[in-house]
Amino acid sequence: MLHLPVLITDLGLILAAAGVTTLLFKKINQPLVLGYILAGLLVGPHIHFFPTVTDNESVHIWAEIGVIFLLFSLGLEFSFKKLVKVGGSASITAVVEVFFMLLIGFVAGKLMGWALMDCIFLGGILSVSSTTIIIRAFEELGVKHKKFAGLVFGVLIVEDLVAILLLVLLSTLAVSRQFAGMEMVFSILKLCFFLVLWFIGGIFLVPSFLKATKKLMNDETMLVVSLALCLLMVMLAVKVGFSPALGAFIMGSVLAETTQAEKIEHLTKSVKDLFAAVFFVSVGMLIDPGILVKYAVPIVIITVATIAGKFLSSGMGALVSGQPLKTSVQTGMSLAQIGEFSFIIATLGTSLKVTSEFLYPIAVAVSAITTFTTPYLIKTSEPFYLFLERKMPQKWVDAISRYSTSTAGITTMSDWKVLLKAYTFNTIIHSVILIAIIFAGSRYLQPFVTEHLINGNHGIIISLVISLVVMAPFLWALAIRRIERKAHAHLWLNKKYTRGPLISLEVLRISLALFAVGFLIYQFYSTWASILVALVLIVLAMTIFSRKLQAFYDRMEHRFLYNLNAREEQNKQPEILPWDAHLTELTVSPESELVGRSLIELAVREKYGVNIALIERGTRMIPTPHRDERLYPNDKVMLIGTDDQLASIKELFNGSTKENDEGYFPKKDMTLQKIVISSSSPVFAQTIRESGIREQTQGLVVGIERRGERILNPDSNLVFENEDIVWIVGNHKKIPDLLRKT
């Protein structure tokens, strides 16, 4: 008798329960994540009315895979360039929110008498909002085009990175069980080091690899290669002491910078959805309804703390960053929930066995409640702003408005700021690369050479020389390369005040490069004489081969920048950001009445108060289009306007098709029909054109069978005869009425 493995039985049970509950939640228009959690609760060990999953360990392995692909998907939507572009407002808002929510969670836990680790993890759980829930709510409410939505998306991007940092710090804290200051600092520095290294290496190698293999890639191979890259980075992250989730997130963010990002995201979506479903079901399996009843009061307290705390902290952060009061209120009320990352942080505490059993189900319960409240909070954010504006003292409202206006104009940078920013990036990037080469040479290259190729001192010398050759371009870039020549020249001309600091910066750069060389040599030879000799030789070599090093480095830099900017160049759009209005993109629906009409006919500026800044038609960009330019189906139009103006014109772009419209024709009504003509038929003895079949029945005569002869696509002057068998394609509801009436 055949035996079905328990894992397959459990997986079938999980997916069956998930399928039923998600269909139900889809029907009642609720987030699918909650359906998955309910499915986990039903098939979990705490409810016995339904079949129960038996092999929990294997399910947790599937759930771990789900976390990996969930973070990989978030990385594909993240991208480090997006983080750079979100600007100060989103960064400040996110940092303020995370700091205060960490504090609120910790204090709330302490007031309820919880253990230290429970309080710390509660703060982490409450600090990150849900990207999935917010995007879904914005789409359902139709507010993605509004100004505050852009700020919210920016905050979510920053929060993703903060959440990754929290995972690393909480893991370190959970292992040490104490606030070891130096250990935490080391963990942060280690994380930053590998983030920079992986990002630089990934951008240099992965897009080049995808470009070289593009002709060999179909959908199947692209999916396999993408998942392989993800899992390879997961293995590498675990190897250096980080979580698998971090590796998946990093590879996703690297692939997000490639021109294949959208395709990879589309191909991996089904895989992510499958394993993410298993993860969220496993979340529900850990919920004990008895614990939820027992801790009902803490759940209410934490829910109130989450909604109120996130509203106040996010709103305050947005105000501090210079956003208007309305945008700040809408942002704060949009971010008032917890979601995917909160589950992952709670799972971390459970897997490391450092948190109490009640924390996990409480976190899930709070997430479920705040998921339900999010759409209503977003809906009421504008009325609540109007209420606040009426109740606040007028001088407060005026002060906030003045502050917002004044901060919006701060965009200039002095020469010193430009130069110091460039020097800082140059030093950090090349220092990270040099440190990586030093450790790779001493820990891996030298043992490999001496053990497998050349033994003894000769092997050490060869390893050292190879390491120095690889380091040479980056040493040149760190110590000698000219950065921001224009700003440097301006500052150098001011002899009295600036030449001293500029010379100090150059000395510092050269010192760092020499230290890197000395540190490398020290890994191979610990005598000072050998270090000094090697330093002299490397200085001479860099002086002699300076031009070749510069040319080689320029080629590498060009390749890196090309890979980094390829996706942006492919989808390049002009940046047009006026004062209180903002830019949004709408697509011309084929059913829209805009189709085929010129801009002067539409007069959208006169009727709706918006400006058309750009039309994207396939690969063609039409900036500031001429008034005679016409709109066509699927044109992407960039519009400038306020929230209300853009909302008023949105329906015009979407168009609508109703069954009672004159031109409406359901596809299902189009059929092929056979009609036999008799002498009593109304079309008898008439030509096809005279019969009015096309006009009255929306039909087309495609064939006639007459006395055994078949006529395909007959001429319109052909006359219908008795016993003709006529084949007509058209509206099956109208054709019989015309041809059979007597």
Side-chain angles (χ1 to χ4, degrees):
M1 182 176 178
L2 293 175
H3 174 68
L4 191 65
V6 175
L7 175 60
I8 297 177
T9 305
D10 287 344
L11 186 60
L13 181 60
I14 287 171
L15 295 180
V20 172
T21 54
T22 50
L23 286 173
L24 174 63
F25 273 65
K26 194 79 173 176
K27 179 69 175 177
I28 61 176
N29 202 28
Q30 294 301 323
L32 299 186
V33 171
L34 297 179
Y36 292 138
I37 293 172
L38 177 60
L41 181 64
L42 295 176
V43 300
H46 303 291
I47 292 182
H48 303 291
F49 297 109
F50 301 93
T52 302
V53 171
T54 54
D55 189 0
N56 290 328
E57 186 175 344
S58 295
V59 172
H60 290 320
I61 294 174
W62 287 102
E64 183 73 17
I65 299 173
V67 173
I68 289 171
F69 289 129
L70 188 62
L71 268 293
F72 179 63
S73 177
L74 286 173
L76 282 169
E77 298 171 3
F78 170 80
S79 104
F80 284 98
K81 287 192 74 177
K82 283 185 182 178
L83 180 63
V84 173
K85 290 183 176 181
V86 294
S89 295
S91 302
I92 292 170
T93 304
V95 169
V96 171
E97 180 203 349
V98 170
F99 173 78
F100 277 101
M101 291 312 298
L102 283 169
L103 186 62
I104 289 170
F106 182 82
V107 172
K110 277 295 181 185
L111 291 175
M112 290 185 289
W114 290 4
L116 179 63
M117 293 305 295
D118 289 335
C119 297
I120 294 171
F121 271 81
L122 178 61
I125 288 168
L126 301 188
S127 62
V128 187
S129 299
S130 172
T131 304
T132 304
I133 293 168
I134 289 174
I135 290 175
R136 181 183 179 279
F138 278 5
E139 288 175 348
E140 288 181 354
L141 298 174
V143 296
K144 287 180 74 175
H145 65 282
K146 294 198 173 184
K147 186 177 181 180
F148 77 92
L151 178 61
V152 170
F153 290 140
V155 172
L156 292 172
I157 289 171
V158 179
E159 281 188 351
D160 285 345
L161 189 60
V162 172
I164 291 294
L165 179 61
L166 278 176
L167 286 175
V168 175
L169 295 181
L170 290 173
S171 299
T172 305
L173 189 60
V175 172
S176 63
R177 298 296 184 103
Q178 58 183 355
F179 288 99
M182 289 307 298
E183 190 173 351
M184 298 291 279
V185 170
F186 175 75
S187 296
I188 293 173
L189 291 175
K190 181 181 176 183
L191 174 63
C192 294
F193 171 80
F194 280 105
L195 281 177
V196 174
L197 181 64
W198 287 336
F199 178 71
I200 294 171
I203 293 299
F204 190 79
L205 297 174
V206 174
S208 298
F209 167 74
L210 292 178
K211 183 180 179 182
T213 58
K214 186 176 181 179
K215 292 183 179 179
L216 304 174
M217 291 279 191
N218 56 19
D219 288 353
E220 180 183 354
T221 51
M222 178 65 80
L223 174 63
V224 172
V225 168
S226 302
L227 297 182
L229 288 171
C230 171
L231 295 177
L232 285 172
M233 183 57 79
V234 166
M235 293 163 58
L236 184 58
V238 173
K239 182 73 174 175
V240 298
F242 293 122
S243 68
L246 175 63
F249 183 83
I250 294 297
M251 182 50 68
S253 65
V254 169
L255 290 173
E257 307 296 352
T258 68
T259 55
Q260 302 292 322
E262 288 87 356
K263 185 176 182 180
I264 293 172
E265 188 174 354
H266 172 71
L267 291 174
T268 57
K269 185 178 184 300
S270 298
V271 179
K272 183 264 294 185
D273 289 342
L274 172 63
F275 288 105
V278 177
F279 166 68
F280 287 119
V281 170
S282 72
V283 169
M285 288 171 58
L286 292 175
I287 299 176
D288 185 350
I291 290 180
L292 296 182
V293 175
K294 182 179 178 182
Y295 289 91
V297 174
I299 289 173
V300 173
I301 293 173
I302 295 170
T303 301
V304 173
T306 300
I307 295 174
K310 281 185 169 286
F311 165 63
L312 293 173
S313 60
S314 302
M316 184 172 63
L319 281 175
V320 170
S321 69
Q323 293 298 319
L325 179 61
K326 181 180 180 180
T327 302
S328 302
V329 170
Q330 291 175 314
T331 301
M333 296 183 78
S334 299
L335 292 166
Q337 79 291 119
I338 58 175
E340 314 85 50
F341 262 119
S342 303
F343 297 151
I344 295 170
I345 292 172
T347 304
L348 177 67
T350 303
S351 62
L352 294 175
K353 302 188 186 305
V354 295
T355 56
S356 303
E357 291 183 1
F358 60 79
L359 182 60
Y360 195 97
I362 286 177
V364 175
V366 172
S367 173
I369 295 171
T370 54
T371 297
F372 283 117
T373 59
T374 295
Y376 301 104
L377 290 173
I378 296 172
K379 242 188 247 184
T380 57
S381 60
E382 189 166 348
F384 185 67
Y385 152 71
L386 297 173
F387 171 78
L388 276 181
E389 191 178 38
R390 287 195 304 270
K391 296 298 181 182
M392 287 174 63
Q394 188 59 41
K395 60 180 182 180
W396 290 14
V397 176
D398 294 339
I400 292 172
S401 178
R402 285 195 302 271
Y403 176 74
S404 172
T405 304
S406 63
T407 55
I410 303 174
T411 56
T412 58
M413 292 183 71
S414 68
D415 287 332
W416 267 118
K417 286 183 178 179
V418 171
L419 193 66
L420 289 175
K421 182 179 178 181
Y423 271 54
T424 301
F425 275 107
N426 184 71
T427 302
I428 291 174
I429 290 171
H430 294 103
S431 296
V432 167
I433 295 173
L434 290 170
I435 292 170
I437 294 172
I438 290 169
F439 280 100
S442 60
R443 300 281 179 87
Y444 299 101
L445 178 63
Q446 188 264 330
F448 178 81
V449 171
T450 54
E451 289 177 17
H452 298 91
L453 301 177
I454 303 173
N455 295 325
N457 194 49
H458 289 85
I460 296 175
I461 292 173
I462 290 174
S463 303
L464 177 59
V465 170
I466 293 173
S467 300
L468 286 172
V469 169
V470 175
M471 287 174 63
F474 306 106
L475 288 170
W476 173 85
L478 176 62
I480 302 172
R481 181 192 181 210
R482 288 289 164 217
I483 306 169
E484 293 293 345
R485 293 175 181 269
K486 187 175 179 180
H488 190 281
H490 287 167
L491 293 168
W492 185 258
L493 293 174
N494 191 350
K495 301 177 184 179
K496 186 175 180 181
Y497 300 106
T498 59
R499 287 198 174 182
L502 288 174
I503 293 172
S504 299
L505 282 175
E506 298 301 326
V507 170
L508 176 62
R509 294 174 63 194
I510 295 170
S511 301
L512 287 173
L514 293 175
F515 174 78
V517 175
F519 187 66
L520 171 68
I521 298 166
Y522 184 75
Q523 303 298 310
F524 294 88
Y525 296 100
S526 57
T527 59
W528 284 105
S530 60
I531 294 175
L532 290 174
V533 170
L535 285 174
V536 172
L537 290 175
I538 195 68
V539 170
L540 288 174
M542 289 183 66
T543 304
I544 295 170
F545 298 105
S546 176
R547 293 198 175 191
K548 290 187 177 181
L549 288 173
Q550 179 176 351
F552 181 71
Y553 181 84
D554 287 344
R555 286 198 298 272
M556 286 198 303
E557 184 182 50
H558 174 75
R559 168 55 58 186
F560 177 82
L561 293 176
Y562 175 82
N563 289 345
L564 183 64
N565 298 319
R567 183 183 180 188
E568 188 178 52
E569 289 296 322
Q570 182 175 279
N571 303 313
K572 192 171 184 180
Q573 295 176 350
E575 294 188 11
I576 319 165
L577 298 174
W579 298 293
D580 57 342
H582 63 284
L583 195 67
T584 195
E585 179 184 284
L586 295 176
T587 301
V588 179
S589 169
E591 294 82 22
S592 172
E593 60 184 77
L594 301 176
V595 172
R597 299 177 65 185
S598 66
L599 300 187
I600 192 171
E601 292 177 58
L602 298 173
V604 292
R605 183 172 184 174
E606 292 76 10
K607 294 179 181 178
Y608 301 96
V610 301
N611 282 312
I612 295 180
L614 171 79
I615 298 175
E616 180 182 347
R617 185 173 297 148
T619 58
R620 183 187 173 199
M621 300 290 176
I622 310 172
T624 56
H626 191 265
R627 63 181 186 173
D628 294 325
E629 186 68 49
R630 296 182 182 275
L631 295 179
Y632 295 99
N634 300 312
D635 277 355
K636 295 180 180 178
V637 182
M638 304 299 290
L639 300 164
I640 298 174
T642 63
D643 289 344
D644 295 335
Q645 291 169 341
L646 294 170
S648 65
I649 200 173
K650 185 179 178 183
E651 290 301 319
L652 193 62
F653 275 80
N654 292 341
S656 60
T657 303
K658 299 179 181 177
E659 294 199 17
N660 56 5
D661 286 349
E662 186 178 342
Y664 180 78
F665 186 89
K667 186 177 179 181
K668 63 182 180 181
D669 289 350
M670 177 67 76
T671 60
L672 178 66
Q673 296 184 72
K674 182 175 74 171
I675 301 295
V676 179
I677 303 296
S678 67
S679 58
S680 61
S681 296
V683 297
F684 175 70
Q686 294 184 10
T687 64
I688 295 174
R689 181 182 293 111
E690 294 170 344
S691 67
I693 292 175
R694 180 188 295 271
E695 294 77 18
Q696 298 181 46
T697 70
Q698 298 172 307
L700 182 67
V701 177
V702 294
I704 295 177
E705 186 174 343
R706 176 178 296 172
R707 294 184 291 277
E709 180 187 358
R710 294 178 177 178
I711 307 170
L712 182 65
N713 296 325
D715 187 88
S716 59
N717 293 317
L718 187 71
V719 178
F720 288 118
E721 296 182 4
N722 189 34
E723 297 184 354
D724 277 354
I725 301 173
V726 182
W727 295 89
I728 302 175
V729 172
N731 191 330
H732 71 87
K733 296 177 181 177
K734 296 183 178 181
I735 291 173
D737 294 338
L738 175 70
L739 299 181
R740 291 175 179 168
K741 62 187 177 182
T742 58

